[in-house]
Structure formats: C-alpha cells, structure tokens
Amino acid sequence: EDKVVQSPLSLVVHEGDTVTLNCSYEVTNFRSLLWYKQEKKAPTFLFMLTSSGIEKKSGRLSSILDKKELFSILNITATQTGDSAVYLCAVEKTGGGADGLTFGKGTHLIIQP
Amino acid sequence: GAGVSQSPRYKVAKRGQDVALRCDPISGHVSLFWYQQALGQGPEFLTYFQNEAQLDKSGLPSDRFFAERPEGSVSTLKIQRTQQEDSAVYLCASSRNNLGTGSYEQYFGPGTRLTVT
C-alpha cells in the first residue's frame, strides 16, 4: 500500500525562525513529489520535485528530494505569520495508475509573532 | 475567474438525504479529480476523469457515491442516502494533461464542506 508520511504533524515557532518539514514516502512507480500549502480549503501548489538532489527555491521556501532514501524536505527561512498553514506533501505515480495524488496528513505550522 | 470553482461552498444535509456537488474545472483542462478531505487529514482520492470518461473510481468509498462528467467539462459528485461519516470537505482539482503524458500540476477548487446531521 502506498504511504506518504509527514513529520512533524504540528509545529509552533516564532517569527524569524527557520523550519524544516519532512515527507517520506513508499509508493510504487514514483513520478514526482509535490508540496502544497493549505490555508483555508483548497491546497495551493508550491513545488514539484522529480529529480534527486536538485533544490527548488521560491523566495524563502526551498525543497529538495532524495529518491534513494525516499524523502523530501521543505525549508522555510525567516518565517512570517503569513506562513502559518498546513503544508501537504503528495506523491504522483507514473504509468497507467489513475489514482491522482497520494497525500500525507500534513504538517500544521503555526508562526507566532 | 480562471480557477476551479465548486458549488455549493457549504452544504448541510440530514442523514439519508441525497446531495449533489458541482465542480467547474479550468476551461480546457482534460483531467478532473475528486478528493475527500476529512478534518485534520490530507485529501483522499475518490475518482478521476479524462474528458468525459471516468477512468478510475477506485477511491469511491461506497456505491452511494457517484460521479459524472457528461460533456467533459463540469462534473457532479452525487452522494445518495448520506451518512454522518460522509461529512468532509470535497475537493475538485483539474489538470491540463492526461495522466501518463507527463508530470502535471493539479489546480484545486475551494471545496464543498458537507455536514451530515
């Protein structure tokens, strides 16, 4: 059975801190790993990772994938209160599988002023 | 707007009632997905359409759940004889590509929060 496990499940830090969110996975026919930010109802896309060791950056956010050890991390530097959200990791499969994305349970990040 | 829209945004149903949830994907998007997200959980896959064809419904939790996309654009998720365990946010997502033709990004709608009392 495919699994995506995120840790920690919740995290409270102060504004300005750096955080690292973890995502490990066990899926057959891996194609890509995606990170989403969910503030209200609909997750919004952050990163798509397909290759090991190549860091993707967007402002204060960055992410990297390790396909050998089957995990990814999402880093947020100089956190702001607007970063407070649930961060979801999802894995996409290749080939004929049509089961969309397999999501983890998310990390609930709270940034205190 | 150019995004995925869903309606209604909130629905309260009495146990045993039938409900219909609507999704308007981004124009021209081939793939459409429905997800169920329980409180505190990540979205769980329900079903997938490529144009009007429902290619995978393996995630539908019971035969009370039915989805259609008759013209390859708007989709409706219908739940018959609702039960309390059906209470969740139902998310719709669309993507421009067919599955298997390259990595893609799914664009999510705002969801419908269904509460069954």
Side-chain angles (χ1 to χ4, degrees):
Chain A
E1 183 184 339
D2 297 335
K3 278 196 302 188
V4 178
V5 179
Q6 293 186 244
S7 63
L9 290 182
S10 65
L11 183 60
V12 182
V13 300
H14 289 288
E15 213 169 11
D17 289 350
T18 293
V19 297
T20 298
L21 310 183
N22 303 291
C23 175
S24 64
Y25 62 92
E26 292 177 30
V27 299
T28 53
N29 303 319
F30 173 89
R31 179 194 290 277
S32 66
L33 184 145
L34 298 93
W35 283 97
Y36 287 87
K37 178 182 182 182
Q38 187 169 25
E39 293 176 272
K40 292 184 179 179
K41 292 189 180 64
T44 54
F45 174 78
L46 294 176
F47 297 110
M48 176 183 285
L49 304 160
T50 55
S51 301
S52 252
I54 299 175
E55 185 183 52
K56 293 214 170 180
K57 284 182 70 74
S58 176
R60 295 176 294 102
L61 276 66
S62 64
S63 183
I64 197 162
L65 173 67
D66 186 327
K67 289 169 75 173
K68 183 179 175 186
E69 300 296 331
L70 307 183
F71 77 91
S72 174
I73 59 172
L74 174 68
N75 278 322
I76 309 175
T77 59
T79 52
Q80 302 171 357
T81 54
D83 296 328
S84 296
V86 174
Y87 289 83
L88 292 168
C89 171
V91 173
E92 177 196 1
K93 298 167 66 167
T94 63
D99 54 0
L101 303 175
T102 301
F103 282 86
K105 292 187 177 181
T107 293
H108 189 189
L109 176 64
I110 297 172
I111 311 297
Q112 293 182 334
Chain B
V4 178
S5 61
Q6 292 185 245
S7 61
R9 294 291 306 277
Y10 302 91
K11 177 69 180 176
V12 178
K14 290 189 177 175
R15 196 172 65 167
Q17 280 185 331
D18 297 349
V19 298
L21 313 180
R22 177 187 168 109
C23 171
D24 283 83
I26 294 173
S27 178
H29 275 197
V30 169
S31 296
L32 186 145
F33 301 82
W34 283 99
Y35 294 88
Q36 179 190 59
Q37 186 172 22
L39 190 64
Q41 305 290 319
E44 298 276 350
F45 168 79
L46 293 177
T47 186
Y48 160 68
F49 289 86
Q50 180 178 304
N51 296 307
E52 69 278 5
Q54 188 175 19
L55 297 188
D56 191 329
K57 52 183 181 180
S58 62
L60 296 176
S62 78
D63 59 9
R64 295 185 295 103
F65 286 70
F66 171 77
E68 60 184 3
R69 193 186 185 199
E71 297 178 1
S73 55
V74 171
S75 177
T76 303
L77 176 67
K78 297 179 180 177
I79 309 173
Q80 298 177 322
R81 304 181 303 281
T82 51
Q83 303 293 314
Q84 282 190 315
E85 62 262 28
D86 300 335
S87 296
V89 174
Y90 290 85
L91 293 168
C92 173
S94 71
S95 170
R96 73 173 75 88
N97 292 329
N98 294 334
L99 279 177
T101 62
S103 287
Y104 60 94
E105 176 183 342
Q106 293 189 6
Y107 296 82
F108 283 83
T112 295
R113 179 176 293 281
L114 173 65
T115 303
V116 181
T117 60

